Amino acid sequence: MTMSPCRSVSRRRIVTQVRREEKRLKDPGHRLRVHVSIVTARNAPAHARKS
């Protein structure tokens, strides 16, 4: 039986979080990076834009 896509993503997210925590514990000076994406109206379809 195969896993549902959502369950697979959840499992990967948990594994990633555990790895980050292990790295933080091994190296207290290790800093996490925050990734930010900015989405503007230019990415929206023309009918969804507000002038």
Side-chain angles (χ1 to χ4, degrees), residues 1 3-5 8-9 14-15 17 20 22 24 28 36-37 39 41 44 47:
M1 182 176 0
M3 273 195 273
S4 71
S8 175
V9 170
I14 291 168
V15 168
Q17 289 173 344
R20 286 180 183 155
E22 287 173 348
R24 189 184 66 79
V36 178
S37 295
V39 180
H47 66 273

Side-chain angles (χ1 to χ4, degrees), residues 4-51:
S4 71
C6 290
R7 195 169 193 173
S8 175
V9 170
S10 267
R11 186 177 300 269
R12 276 186 267 151
R13 187 174 294 146
I14 291 168
V15 168
T16 301
Q17 289 173 344
V18 168
R19 285 185 186 148
R20 286 180 183 155
E21 185 65 16
E22 287 173 348
K23 189 165 188 168
R24 189 184 66 79
L25 291 173
K26 286 180 186 175
D27 180 11
H30 176 73
R31 293 179 57 150
L32 293 178
R33 289 183 290 174
V34 176
H35 300 272
V36 178
S37 295
I38 298 173
V39 180
T40 66
R42 291 176 189 248
N43 294 335
H47 66 273
R49 294 182 188 164
K50 294 184 181 182
S51 305

